Amino acid sequence: MVRVTITQVAARAGVSVASASRALNGLVASPETAAKVRDAARELGYVADATAQSLKRGRTLQLGFAVADIGNPVYVEMMAAVEQVVSASGYRLLLSSTGTSSSSVDVVRDLGRGYVDGLILSPLRVTDELLTALAAAPIPFVVLGRLPASADFDTVRADSPTAMRLVVDHLVAQGRRDIAFINGPTDTTPGVMRRDGFIAAVDRYDDLRTRHVDAADFTIAAGYDAALPLLDRPDRPTAVVAANDLIGVGVLRAAEDLGLQVPADLAVTGLDNTELAEVVRPGLTSVDLGAKERGRAAAEMLLARIADDTRPARTVTVPPALVVRGSTSASIPAALQRPEPIDEERAHG
Amino acid sequence: MVRVTITQVAARAGVSVASASRALNGLVASPETAAKVRDAARELGYVADATAQSLKRGRTLQLGFAVADIGNPVYVEMMAAVEQVVSASGYRLLLSSTGTSSSSVDVVRDLGRGYVDGLILSPLRVTDELLTALAAAPIPFVVLGRLPASADFDTVRADSPTAMRLVVDHLVAQGRRDIAFINGPTDTTPGVMRRDGFIAAVDRYDDLRTRHVDAADFTIAAGYDAALPLLDRPDRPTAVVAANDLIGVGVLRAAEDLGLQVPADLAVTGLDNTELAEVVRPGLTSVDLGAKERGRAAAEMLLARIADDTRPARTVTVPPALVVRGSTSASIPAALQRPEPIDEERAHG
DNA sequence: GTGAAAGCGCTAACAT
DNA sequence: ATGTTAGCGCTTTCAC
């Protein structure tokens, strides 16, 4: 198929390209001209070239979403929410996976190339290098995740301290006094936030025994490996707080392999409230950190920033919600542990 | 930050924009000029504008990935594989979610706007309208999924018939003779392919009893709802073949709620071999349809097509692999297959 | 090897 | 309301 330009449309309609452009964009044009141009465009199968429009208009109608780990269910949920808002606003979504922290900086640097009008960035680690790059970013952006107080950027974040308080209070209410925290890598922002949150949460009690283990990664396998030695000893804890659901499932598996009954012998909690928490048995008590809400909020914030780049930087914090399942509470009836009735978001795509 | 153009770089280097362009792109240039230009670019923080380059070069270095349901773990896996290949080849990945079949057509039509150099499309339903739009597509594309034989397009697909044979043979080998198939919606391509595959697979035996149920959707909830009435009766089947893992997990939940032991009372299989199959208890026997391989193959095929648009259309079929877990085989160690019973007595003791 | 100039396809002044 | 013209920022002939 041959590419048809506005020049050809104009020629066929017998008007100038300017008139053709105006007619096609619904600007001033006599009804007569408008009709001729519309017909010519239709007959020729004309569609405006996006690149040329972008160059001329100075905006691409593209937004970027840079995320450390596509594949992590939490990011997938965010991405889906972002995509929805973005496409509903007439923008296209550009995805980039930034495995390492340095490539995250690369993404920000690349912003100068002008292929997106804005960026949502969810960095695993916030380095000074990244902050510097962001401060110099030539286009609007929103950061998903915690930033140092000194960084005055648009941000959407979860509330780890509250999440950890919810979890710890719940476990204490269930009579647990010996609580281990299995964290992911502490050189990541979530790792630090969740650790600090846990410490602050347990510090409000003075009759708790606590211990800390770092899993090698925020994965099931790493959670399993970290839990096994912790649980395979006489003085094992009576509860484990996992830094995310994947680690939590690893803990459940380790308990299973050691013949421990959950929750009788051991209570386990996760974080993120992914579908995984709903699906495993016993169901994994978890805290919903509002991935979907964060994605939506970030996308809307970015659009608002694009519309008005003078507004002061904002930070939105999405409140967490505890979801109790069988891994901490034997009183949850089996019937409540089955899948949520429906997920309409997905059904309607 | 102000946008710096090649004109400014050229001015600073004391050369023409043409020379600057050549130097920056590693074309002919005296070492002297090259150095001056490079220095000027660095000092000014110059990065070439992607839109202008695209317009001039006639290619955007962007590829599209259009998928019906971001959020479905299978597509996420594909997407991650696609992203890897695409970004490694210097392209950016543009994501579009095409909930309905009609928006899938819209995506193809939009190809004429020229904001991508190629498209990977994974349509849930292949309509004539879509095929027509594809036939008229102005740029290269690859379809992920089965197409009618009449459509001579580049395609990557799974092998549902073989997958179903693997599953059925396995169940028969386990002594199951009464096998129910719980499908997703049959107005989708996967729905049709999996149904036909199942029928062909069981037709090779003449001592099987089979039945068919359609779940409302390829989801856990729909699988649960479809399984419940099927299993809650004296003449329930001894095995259920689910059309994907999500439905399979729904079946496991239904069996659990009805007090059926899996696999003793009922064998269950899924399809796709997502992480879910690994994580539930008992583990869900499933067939790996090679989502990652399909994503990678599709991306590579698209790049090859872009490089040479005269090559004949190809179809790559990724072979499936059976992964046996506790939901069909009692010989899988007990610790790995038994659901955790909710033991209320223990809660007191 | 280098510079002047054309032009990718489009929009937006600016005249008329 | 319409046409002419000047670019958006870049690459690439084409002369020299």
Side-chain angles (χ1 to χ4, degrees), chain B:
Chain B
M1 188 190 247
V2 170
R3 110 173 284 83
V4 25
T5 72
I6 198 172
T7 307
Q8 300 169 38
V9 174
R12 176 160 190 135
V15 299
S16 70
V17 289
S19 291
S21 173
R22 283 186 293 250
L24 291 167
N25 289 301
L27 303 180
V28 285
S30 71
E32 205 169 277
T33 304
K36 277 189 301 187
V37 172
R38 217 175 327 106
D39 290 350
R42 190 170 27 70
E43 289 161 22
L44 263 42
Y46 170 79
V47 273
D49 182 82
T51 305
Q53 282 184 322
S54 294
L55 181 60
K56 184 65 197 177
R57 300 200 229 228
R59 26 181 242 139
T60 59
L61 290 183
Q62 295 188 161
L63 300 180
F65 184 49
V67 64
D69 179 16
I70 336 178
N72 182 323
V74 184
Y75 292 124
V76 172
E77 228 178 298
M78 282 186 188
M79 184 183 66
V82 167
E83 202 279 337
Q84 205 173 329
V85 174
V86 162
S87 68
S89 305
Y91 284 82
R92 296 182 292 272
L93 186 66
L94 231 128
L95 195 66
S96 40
S97 177
T98 62
T100 66
S101 57
S102 61
S103 73
S104 180
V105 174
D106 290 343
V107 167
V108 175
R109 295 239 171 88
D110 247 24
L111 257 34
R113 305 219 34 207
Y115 53 83
V116 288
D117 297 338
L119 177 76
I120 296 173
L121 177 72
S122 181
L124 208 46
R125 306 172 219 281
V126 176
T127 61
D128 285 342
E129 194 188 7
L130 179 59
L131 291 173
T132 305
L134 284 174
I139 61 163
F141 63 91
V142 172
V143 176
L144 265 167
R146 171 74 65 153
L147 287 179
S150 59
D152 191 31
F153 303 145
D154 285 324
T155 311
V156 174
R157 64 190 195 196
D159 182 352
S160 299
T162 301
M164 281 301 175
R165 276 202 299 277
L166 289 172
V167 156
V168 169
D169 288 355
H170 169 65
L171 289 173
V172 170
Q174 300 283 319
R176 312 288 170 162
R177 290 289 177 277
D178 188 344
I179 306 178
F181 178 56
I182 302 190
N183 200 1
T186 49
D187 61 345
T188 64
T189 305
V192 172
M193 296 310 301
R194 290 165 192 198
R195 181 197 57 203
D196 292 351
F198 177 78
I199 292 174
V202 294
D203 271 0
R204 295 171 307 141
Y205 298 90
D206 46 30
D207 59 338
L208 299 184
R209 172 177 181 193
T210 62
R211 20 192 157 175
H212 294 252
V213 180
D214 287 353
D217 220 330
F218 283 104
T219 61
I220 294 175
Y224 180 93
D225 291 344
L228 213 49
L230 178 71
L231 300 179
D232 192 16
R233 40 194 287 183
D235 71 331
R236 57 176 165 73
T238 57
V240 170
V241 172
N244 77 347
D245 283 355
L246 295 169
I247 292 176
V249 169
V251 175
L252 288 180
R253 291 296 156 262
E256 180 180 306
D257 284 0
L258 293 170
L260 298 176
Q261 294 295 316
V262 175
D265 301 330
L266 181 75
V268 182
T269 66
L271 212 67
D272 282 336
N273 192 40
T274 57
E275 184 162 70
L276 229 51
E278 182 71 41
V279 144
V280 293
R281 287 299 175 270
L284 181 65
T285 292
S286 189
V287 178
D288 196 321
L289 297 179
K292 195 176 304 182
E293 288 77 7
R294 280 181 283 158
R296 191 171 39 68
E300 286 168 353
M301 194 181 274
L302 182 57
L303 291 170
R305 166 65 60 203
I306 288 173
D308 173 14
D309 70 344
T310 66
R311 64 207 284 273
R314 279 196 317 159
T315 294
V316 166
T317 304
V318 174
L322 180 71
V323 181
V324 177
R325 297 195 179 88
S327 69
T328 58
S329 168
S331 64
I332 302 284
L336 290 182
Q337 65 167 274
R338 200 173 309 133
E340 287 290 344
I342 304 294
D343 187 340
E344 303 196 336
E345 289 193 19
R346 273 188 160 271
H348 302 301

Side-chain angles (χ1 to χ4, degrees), chain A residues 65-310:
Chain A
F65 184 50
V67 64
D69 177 18
I70 335 178
N72 182 323
V74 185
Y75 292 124
V76 172
E77 227 178 302
M78 282 185 188
M79 184 183 66
V82 167
E83 202 278 338
Q84 206 173 328
V85 174
V86 162
S87 67
S89 305
Y91 283 83
R92 296 182 293 271
L93 186 65
L94 227 129
L95 193 68
S96 39
S97 176
T98 62
T100 66
S101 58
S102 60
S103 74
S104 181
V105 175
D106 290 343
V107 168
V108 176
R109 295 239 170 89
D110 248 25
L111 258 33
R113 304 219 36 206
Y115 54 83
V116 289
D117 298 337
L119 177 77
I120 297 173
L121 177 72
S122 181
L124 208 47
R125 307 172 217 281
V126 176
T127 61
D128 285 343
E129 193 187 8
L130 178 60
L131 291 172
T132 306
L134 284 174
I139 62 164
F141 62 90
V142 172
V143 176
L144 264 168
R146 172 73 65 153
L147 288 178
S150 59
D152 191 32
F153 303 144
D154 283 325
T155 311
V156 175
R157 64 191 194 194
D159 182 353
S160 297
T162 300
M164 281 301 174
R165 274 202 301 278
L166 289 172
V167 157
V168 169
D169 288 355
H170 170 65
L171 289 173
V172 169
Q174 299 283 320
R176 314 286 170 163
R177 290 289 176 277
D178 188 344
I179 305 179
F181 178 56
I182 303 191
N183 199 359
T186 48
D187 60 346
T188 64
T189 305
V192 171
M193 296 311 300
R194 290 167 192 198
R195 180 197 59 202
D196 293 351
F198 177 79
I199 291 174
V202 294
D203 272 359
R204 295 171 305 141
Y205 298 89
D206 47 29
D207 59 338
L208 299 185
R209 172 176 179 192
T210 62
R211 18 193 158 175
H212 294 253
V213 180
D214 287 354
D217 221 328
F218 284 105
T219 62
I220 293 176
Y224 180 93
D225 291 344
L228 214 48
L230 177 72
L231 300 179
D232 191 17
R233 43 192 286 183
D235 70 331
R236 58 178 164 71
T238 57
V240 170
V241 172
N244 78 346
D245 283 354
L246 294 169
I247 292 176
V249 170
V251 175
L252 287 180
R253 291 295 156 263
E256 181 180 304
D257 285 0
L258 294 170
L260 298 176
Q261 295 295 318
V262 175
D265 301 330
L266 181 76
V268 182
T269 66
L271 212 68
D272 281 338
N273 193 39
T274 58
E275 183 162 71
L276 227 52
E278 183 69 41
V279 145
V280 292
R281 285 300 173 272
L284 181 65
T285 291
S286 191
V287 178
D288 197 322
L289 297 179
K292 195 177 304 183
E293 288 77 6
R294 280 181 284 158
R296 191 171 39 68
E300 286 168 353
M301 196 181 273
L302 181 58
L303 291 170
R305 166 65 60 202
I306 288 173
D308 173 15
D309 70 343
T310 66

